[in-house]
């Protein structure tokens, strides 16, 4: 509580996917002001206003729907009546149950915005309990879901953010297919980090985009790829990084699936269940013709399909050699 009687509460902004930490000032049970949370080094951007005035106006806008409304006239007349939430829930449940009995739970379709809020668990929980297998339309199904999948496959944990942690300490920043200057506020966290990287003489900024976007003006290198050729260039980069040893060895061994053995016959990761039993009764498996055992670099039974972390650098050798293994 400050000297003006304003109570400051910690919160976060949901006007974009960054969710910056903010402080919300409340007086007489009403939001009167907002300010950045200095503990997190955030700023209030143009989207909500320097003092949060735009967010406050949005919150208390007279046309904002804060109650359950039921159509009072014909469809399209824009006539509504306010009803209690219990009545609304009962009527909706009755209609849904009728539809479910007639057409099955797949008849319910969910259309929503991208994954930037905290309501997803409720929607998923409801549709699953209702028997719906997941009939939904969402921008996240074509972008965020796949970023999540790659994170789990390579790192073993969900680290995906708009900019990954520690990017400000990187010596090379690649902006690939993301129009940061258009997507986020000029005062927002992402653009501030990008600006800091472009001003740092030690940091190289590479922009990959078919179109000369705004970020190009401050980039050290601009790669204007032809649409559809991104994957070929990415594989070329991977080839150089691996062949010239430019990768971070500890990161590869401890935080990725890079050391896992890949089967030559089908291109899939070698699983423990693929290998014949060794003379030992522990989890190790014998490598044919070497007299050695390989206890790392192979996903074990019971491990998560993604995210198994090799525990020693013995796994790193698996990424540089070919091994003959006794198969079942």
């Amino acid at each position: 509580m400050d000297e003006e009687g304003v109570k400051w509460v910690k919160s976060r902004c949901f006007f974009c996917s960054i969710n910056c930490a903010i402080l919300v000032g409340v007086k007489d049970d009403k939001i009167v002001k907002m300010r950045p949370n200095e503990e997190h080094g955030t700023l209030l951007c143009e989207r909500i206003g320097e003092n949060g005035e735009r967010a406050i106006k949005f919150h208390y806008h007279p046309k904002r729907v804060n109650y359950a409304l039921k159509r009072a006239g014909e469809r399209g007349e824009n006539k509504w009546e306010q009803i209690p939430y219990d009545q609304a829930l009962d009527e909706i449940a009755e209609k849904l149950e009728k539809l479910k009995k007639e057409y099955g739970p797949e008849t319910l379709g969910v259309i929503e915005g991208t994954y930037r809020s905290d309501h997803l668990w409720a929607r998923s929980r409801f549709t699953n309990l209702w028997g719906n297998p997941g009939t939904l339309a969402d921008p996240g199904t074509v972008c965020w879901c796949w970023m999540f999948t790659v994170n789990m496959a390579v790192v073993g944990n969900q680290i995906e953010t708009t900019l990954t942690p520690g990017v400000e300490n990187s010596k090379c920043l690649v902006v690939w297919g993301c129009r940061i200057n258009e997507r986020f506020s000029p005062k927002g966290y992402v653009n501030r980090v990008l600006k800091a990287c472009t001003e740092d003489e030690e940091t190289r900024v590479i922009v990959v985009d078919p179109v000369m976007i705004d970020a190009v003006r401050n980039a050290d290198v601009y790669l204007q790829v032809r649409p559809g050729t991104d994957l070929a260039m990415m594989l070329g980069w991977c080839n150089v990084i691996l062949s010239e040893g430019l990768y971070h060895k500890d990161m590869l061994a401890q935080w990725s699936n890079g050391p896992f053995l890949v089967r030559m016959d089908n291109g899939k990761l070698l699983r423990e269940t693929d290998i014949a039993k060794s003379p030992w009764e522990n989890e190790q498996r014998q490598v044919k013709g070497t007299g050695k055992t390989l206890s790392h670099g192979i996903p074990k039974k019971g491990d998560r399909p993604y995210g198994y972390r090799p525990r020693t650098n013995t796994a790193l050798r698996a990424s540089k050699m070919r091994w003959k293994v006794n198969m079942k």
Side-chain angles (χ1 to χ4, degrees):
M1 189 81 70
D2 62 18
E3 63 278 2
E4 297 179 358
V6 178
K7 181 181 179 180
W8 291 96
V9 182
K10 292 182 178 180
S11 184
R12 287 191 177 271
C13 172
F14 279 87
F15 276 70
C16 84
S17 58
I18 302 299
N19 306 141
C20 292
I22 61 175
L23 297 175
V24 179
V26 181
K27 186 175 183 180
D28 299 328
D29 294 327
K30 188 174 181 179
I31 300 174
V32 294
K33 194 175 181 181
M34 296 180 182
R35 68 187 188 198
N37 188 335
E38 296 180 355
E39 294 179 0
H40 292 254
T42 56
L43 295 175
L44 299 190
C45 70
E46 296 85 345
R47 292 190 176 185
I48 67 172
E50 292 186 359
N51 297 301
E53 60 275 4
R54 293 176 181 170
I56 297 173
K57 182 179 179 181
F58 175 86
H59 184 72
Y60 292 112
H61 198 281
K63 291 187 177 181
R64 180 175 179 179
V65 179
N66 295 310
Y67 309 97
L69 301 177
K70 181 179 180 180
R71 188 169 65 238
E74 297 295 326
R75 184 184 294 273
E77 284 189 301
N78 197 27
K79 294 180 180 180
W80 306 89
E81 63 174 330
Q82 182 178 326
I83 62 175
Y85 273 109
D86 287 343
Q87 178 185 341
L89 291 172
D90 289 342
E91 292 187 15
I92 293 172
E94 182 180 351
K95 291 182 179 180
L96 285 177
E97 195 63 28
K98 182 179 178 180
L99 290 170
K100 181 180 179 180
K101 290 180 180 179
E102 186 172 357
Y103 303 105
E106 294 84 359
T107 189
L108 177 65
V110 181
I111 301 177
E112 58 192 33
T114 192
Y115 296 160
R116 289 180 182 165
S117 187
D118 52 2
H119 69 284
L120 300 173
W121 70 268
R123 183 264 299 158
S124 301
R125 184 68 172 157
F126 171 76
T127 54
N128 289 336
L129 290 175
W130 201 60
N132 186 288
T135 308
L136 63 94
D138 190 300
T141 58
V142 296
C143 63
W144 186 83
C145 286
W146 307 115
M147 287 190 283
F148 181 93
T149 302
V150 171
N151 285 174
M152 297 302 293
V154 175
V155 181
N157 197 8
Q158 177 51 25
I159 68 163
E160 186 272 323
T161 58
T162 305
L163 287 177
T164 50
V167 67
E168 62 273 11
N169 299 319
S170 175
K171 299 304 180 185
C172 181
L173 178 65
V174 180
V175 181
W176 196 322
C178 179
R179 302 186 179 183
I180 294 177
N181 304 70
E182 299 174 18
R183 183 179 176 186
F184 299 101
S185 162
K187 289 185 180 180
Y189 166 73
V190 178
N191 276 312
R192 286 190 283 123
V193 171
L194 178 60
K195 185 174 183 293
C197 290
T198 57
E199 293 176 349
D200 187 351
E201 295 182 357
E202 296 184 0
T203 303
R204 295 292 176 264
V205 178
I206 303 173
V207 175
V208 183
D209 202 294
V211 180
M212 188 175 289
I213 60 176
D214 189 73
V216 173
R217 70 173 73 248
N218 297 317
D220 295 285
V221 179
Y222 171 44
L223 297 177
Q224 192 173 22
V225 295
R226 294 180 181 178
T229 63
D230 300 56
L231 182 58
M233 190 178 76
M234 184 182 296
L235 291 173
W237 284 20
C238 290
N239 180 52
V240 173
I241 291 171
L242 291 174
S243 60
E244 297 186 9
L246 301 177
Y247 51 84
H248 194 290
K249 295 181 180 180
D250 291 338
M251 168 69 184
L252 181 64
Q254 301 295 333
W255 290 94
S256 82
N257 62 0
F260 288 174
L261 299 183
V262 179
R263 294 180 53 161
M264 300 296 292
D265 55 346
N266 58 18
K268 296 182 179 180
L269 293 179
L270 181 69
R271 306 291 297 184
E272 184 191 27
T273 53
D274 298 334
I275 307 172
K277 290 185 178 181
S278 70
W280 299 275
E281 302 208 350
N282 55 25
E283 65 177 11
Q284 298 182 337
R285 294 294 178 262
Q286 188 175 23
V287 179
K288 183 178 180 181
T290 65
K292 299 179 180 178
T293 59
L294 188 67
S295 59
H296 301 288
I298 302 177
K300 302 297 187 298
K301 185 177 181 180
D303 286 334
R304 292 183 298 168
Y306 303 116
Y308 170 72
R309 300 173 186 171
R311 289 161 289 180
T312 72
N313 285 334
T314 58
L316 188 59
R317 295 197 301 269
S319 65
K320 294 184 177 181
M321 299 180 181
R322 290 191 180 187
W323 300 78
K324 285 187 177 181
V325 179
N326 290 323
M327 305 290 287
K328 284 185 178 179

